[in-house]
Structures are given as C-alpha cells and as structure tokens.
Amino acid sequence: DVLWMAPTVSAQYTGYTNLGPAVQAFLNNGGRFIASGSGYTANIFNLNVITGSYTSQDNGGATVAVNPSYATDPLVDIATGTAMQTPNKTYYFTLSNVGKRQLLQRTLNPTYDFVTEVNYGTGKALYLGFDFLASNALSQQLFANAIQEYGANTTYGAYADWLTITPDSGQVAT
C-alpha cells in the first residue's frame, strides 16, 4: 500500500506528531510512504520517519541530474527531453537517515536532499521536495514513477489489488 502526504498548507505540528506512530507502524509492516515538500517542514519531521533538517527552498529553475549511482532505478526513469530543472517551491533538506538514497542531485549543491528514498522497517519512504502547486514535467514524472513503483507488487510484477491502471501501457503525447 502507498500513503501520500500531500503538501501541507498550514503548521499542524501536533497533528503530525500524533500521526507519526501510525505512519511508522504502516512502514514497519512494509508500507510505502511519499512525502511532498512543504514550507511547513516541521510537519514532515514530526512524523519521525524522515530525519534531518531543512536546508533551503528555491523558486524553480535549478539544474538537477540523476545520481549516477541510481541511474537504472525506476523511481528516476525520466522521459527523454524532460527539462531537468526544479519547479517553483522546491524544498531541500539535509537528511540524516542511515542508508538514504539520494536519487537526484542539484548541480549547484549536490548534497541537498530533495528526491531521496529511505528505508524504514520493512517499508520505504520517499521524500519528493516539491509542493505540486507549481509542478513541472520533471516533478510530475517523478510522482508518477513513485506511484507506479510503490503501487506495484514487486514480487509478482503486478499492481496491488486496490490500484487499477487502464490502459497499463501506451505513449504520452509530447
């Protein structure tokens, strides 16, 4: 199963602290969690899943590249010709999770975490540092990849029974 934490539009720190144990239990049981970027960064950290600190934000246009260590990872399968620039409201963290996988790197500051996956229990959490209120082709593709990869039952190569994709193949017009 997949749990998406949509961008938060207000500071609800206590609510996220109270939600933390449920999200942690979900991940400990093999769940997949996607956290979107938000100006209210403490909301994300109060879940106690993704750990670290807020670094900065930009208003889009930062050049990024797939981390060569993860070039074949399906989470960063980017369509040829997609501009590799961040959208408006991209939020960067410095994550301290052991074993984090920084999938994309910002060219100017390659240590910033904004598309980073961490293991939690038997589950996985993905931080997509975009608020999606001002998305672009790159952020949309990364989110679609995350839903597709996290929604798939990787043991059998099929989607979870709650997810239906019709058609399950095709071509996107450019």
Side-chain angles (χ1 to χ4, degrees), residues 9-94:
V9 294
S10 64
Q12 306 209 355
Y13 308 129
T14 304
Y16 280 85
T17 300
N18 294 338
L19 186 61
V23 174
Q24 294 163 25
F26 174 74
L27 287 166
N28 277 325
N29 289 305
R32 302 295 192 255
F33 175 63
I34 302 167
S36 295
S38 168
Y40 298 98
T41 58
N43 288 346
I44 295 169
F45 292 126
N46 283 4
L47 294 171
N48 288 317
V49 170
I50 296 172
T51 59
S53 60
Y54 170 78
T55 304
S56 67
Q57 88 172 57
D58 72 36
N59 293 320
T63 303
V64 300
V66 174
N67 183 334
S69 298
Y70 306 110
T72 60
D73 191 302
L75 289 171
V76 289
D77 184 12
I78 309 298
T80 302
T82 300
M84 295 295 287
Q85 294 184 324
T86 59
N88 189 24
K89 302 293 185 193
T90 298
Y91 299 92
Y92 302 100
F93 291 164
T94 299

